[in-house]
Structures are given as C-alpha cells and as structure tokens.
Amino acid sequence: GSSTTKQFAEQVPIVRQALAEVGRDAATFRIGKRVYIAVDEDTERARRRLGESLQRFYPFFQSHHLEAFPVYGPPDACVRGLREVAEAGAELILLNPVFDEAEQMERLAAEVMPKLA
C-alpha cells in the first residue's frame, strides 16, 4: 500500500523474473496490491483526510510522499486510479478505506466497482 502505482509497475517484472529463476509458474502466483482509497466529490478533502489517516499509519514518511500512493477523489477518478493499478500488473487489488469505512465501502460498491466490471 505504501508504493505508488509507478513504483509497483517497476516491481512487478522483478517478481515475475524471480519466479522464473526458481522455476515457479507465474500463473500460480497472483500479484496483488493494497490501495488506500477515498471516494469523495471534493478531491482536496479526500486527499487531506487520507493524508491525515495515513500519517498515523506511516509516521516515518513525509506527508508529500503519502499523497502519492492512494487513490482518491470522485468515483470516476477512483475508477481511473484502480485501472492504472490493474494495468501496472495487479491481479488482486485490496481496497483499503482508512476513514468512514462503512460509508466508503458503500460508495465503492455502488459508484466505483460497477464501472470496473
């Protein structure tokens, strides 16, 4: 969860190469990524609330770094961000809201996931 989509995309081939080197079938090793996410029409509020929550989880990171790895904003922005993660190589994506969890899960189920199908 604490890597950007770009960093994740750079790491996926390394994992696949390591699997090949040990003779492991890559199809039996699904690559996943945790995505901290916030659905909110107010992008700035989502960024700020995510940043505050993530600073508690990762106090050793500077706040500007924390803003680089979550997906946040209106539903369409979240869909774009999640598609980027999938295109980077994630076969499994763990959606991890970090505030207002019940409300966020409802919004993800109603406003984001249907657009990813």
Side-chain angles (χ1 to χ4, degrees), residues 5-23:
T5 300
K6 181 179 184 273
Q7 291 167 328
F8 175 76
E10 293 167 353
Q11 295 165 353
V12 168
I14 296 168
V15 171
R16 291 197 172 129
Q17 178 64 35
L19 292 169
E21 288 173 5
V22 297

Side-chain angles (χ1 to χ4, degrees), residues 30-65:
R30 297 184 69 189
I31 296 176
K33 179 164 184 4
R34 174 190 309 266
V35 175
Y36 295 109
I37 191 165
V39 183
D40 191 328
E41 278 64 39
D42 185 332
T43 301
E44 177 57 27
R45 179 176 54 211
R47 184 203 59 75
R48 180 180 41 79
R49 292 192 70 196
L50 268 168
E52 290 167 356
S53 296
L54 292 173
Q55 190 65 55
R56 288 192 300 274
F57 298 155
Y58 301 105
F60 43 87
F61 280 130
Q62 294 180 358
S63 63
H64 71 277
H65 177 76

